[in-house]
Amino acid sequence: MGKILFIDVDGTLVDYENNLPTSAVDAIRKARANGHKVFITTGRSKAEVYSNILEIGLDGMIGGNGSFVESDGNVIMHQLITLEQCRHIVDWLHERGLEFYLESNNGLFASENFETGALDAIRKYSAGKGKENAYGLTVRDVFPEMIFDGDLYRDDLNKVSYVLGSYQDYLDAQDEFPDLQNSTWGGAGEAVLFGDFGVKDITKAHAIEVLLNHLGASKVDTIAFGDAEIDLPMFECCSYSVCMGNGRVAAKEAADYVTDSVENDGLYKAFCHLGLI
């Protein structure tokens, strides 16, 4: 049996300007032709996986940092935030004056003032990832298909991301929502820009285990590709791990192999190094 490859999207398959290298497309197509299976494994919900990625040709995806698993067009697992939990989240964020967006396979739904209220954080996040002209970006540049007038009380949510006013907001969220997975992203330590809510005890690693069970496959045949701390459970779960050259220090230290950056054909080079193509 071929290998089963789990590939993070942002900072691994695409750069932080959403550029998809031709070499990465070529690598995936060649690997699949050689009998390997390829699954993107991402924090994105399905609505954020745009046509340029889908058109590569994939065996499936793990989305929402592990809340959604799809293989060969079939949904294997989909764990959702309940409508009651969503109401609690939305009301609490409104009370604190924090802007947010709801992440669903049916779309990204922004809070009333997200377009202006989140702009500074979005620009700082993009600048931190090395994006050129980061301070000229608009929210619509970063989220081209975001919905700004949708219903905010929903029963189809994978995750909710919100702009932190301060690190205390995240600490208070942990106390307020013990029934949810509480995380941060967009920086290190107390300098993080965003918090998020997800389904309790859901991780990329758990989703991989669910998928492997469905496929009747062994962890011995798995390889993970990532660039950030959120990928560490996936690294630990898989038999072998690869970090991109543009990755975070913690991810590089945890990986079995560090390849080149996204922009310098890192994914293709890693596939060659591992004999996948």
Side-chain angles (χ1 to χ4, degrees), residues 1-7 27-41 56-61 70-74 211-212 214-218 221-225 238 271 276-277:
M1 181 178 178
K3 298 295 184 183
I4 304 173
L5 315 180
F6 296 99
I7 304 174
I28 290 172
R29 289 176 177 169
K30 285 180 176 177
R32 294 186 75 220
N34 286 343
H36 307 296
K37 290 185 177 292
V38 179
F39 296 85
I40 54 170
T41 309
I56 297 171
L58 301 164
D59 292 284
M61 72 172 287
E70 185 177 74
S71 176
D72 293 322
N74 299 310
L211 179 57
L212 292 178
H214 168 75
L215 296 173
S218 167
D221 298 314
T222 57
I223 306 174
F225 299 80
C238 290
F271 276 36
L276 300 170
I277 57 177

Side-chain angles (χ1 to χ4, degrees), residues 75-223:
V75 177
I76 309 306
M77 180 186 78
H78 197 183
Q79 300 280 354
L80 295 168
I81 291 172
T82 68
L83 177 59
E84 182 181 1
Q85 288 172 324
C86 175
R87 286 183 182 277
H88 186 187
I89 292 167
V90 169
D91 291 346
W92 187 80
L93 291 171
H94 275 147
E95 287 169 6
R96 294 181 78 100
L98 301 175
E99 299 305 324
F100 59 92
Y101 64 97
L102 312 177
E103 303 182 45
S104 157
N105 284 2
N106 296 311
L108 302 183
F109 300 88
S111 59
E112 296 84 350
N113 300 308
F114 185 82
E115 189 165 9
T116 53
L119 184 59
D120 184 57
I122 292 291
R123 287 174 170 175
K124 285 179 179 176
Y125 175 72
S126 298
K129 294 297 181 181
K131 183 171 177 62
E132 294 181 10
N133 193 35
Y135 289 96
L137 287 173
T138 67
V139 168
R140 290 176 191 258
D141 290 330
V142 177
F143 299 109
E145 297 185 19
M146 181 167 271
I147 298 163
F148 292 92
D149 58 356
D151 184 5
L152 298 180
Y153 290 145
R154 310 187 62 85
D155 63 1
D156 60 352
L157 300 185
N158 301 318
K159 290 167 52 191
V160 178
S161 288
Y162 61 98
V163 181
L164 290 167
S166 71
Y167 193 70
Q168 188 62 45
D169 291 321
Y170 165 64
L171 298 178
D172 291 346
Q174 288 184 301
D175 292 336
E176 183 74 17
F177 298 94
D179 56 327
L180 294 169
Q181 193 83 18
N182 286 273
S183 305
T184 59
W185 57 277
E190 295 189 10
V192 290
L193 297 167
F194 298 90
D196 68 29
F197 300 109
V199 179
K200 190 77 170 176
D201 299 325
I202 286 295
T203 66
K204 290 182 178 181
H206 173 262
I208 287 171
E209 291 173 354
V210 169
L211 179 57
L212 292 178
N213 184 60
H214 168 75
L215 296 173
S218 167
K219 287 185 182 180
V220 134
D221 298 314
T222 57
I223 306 174

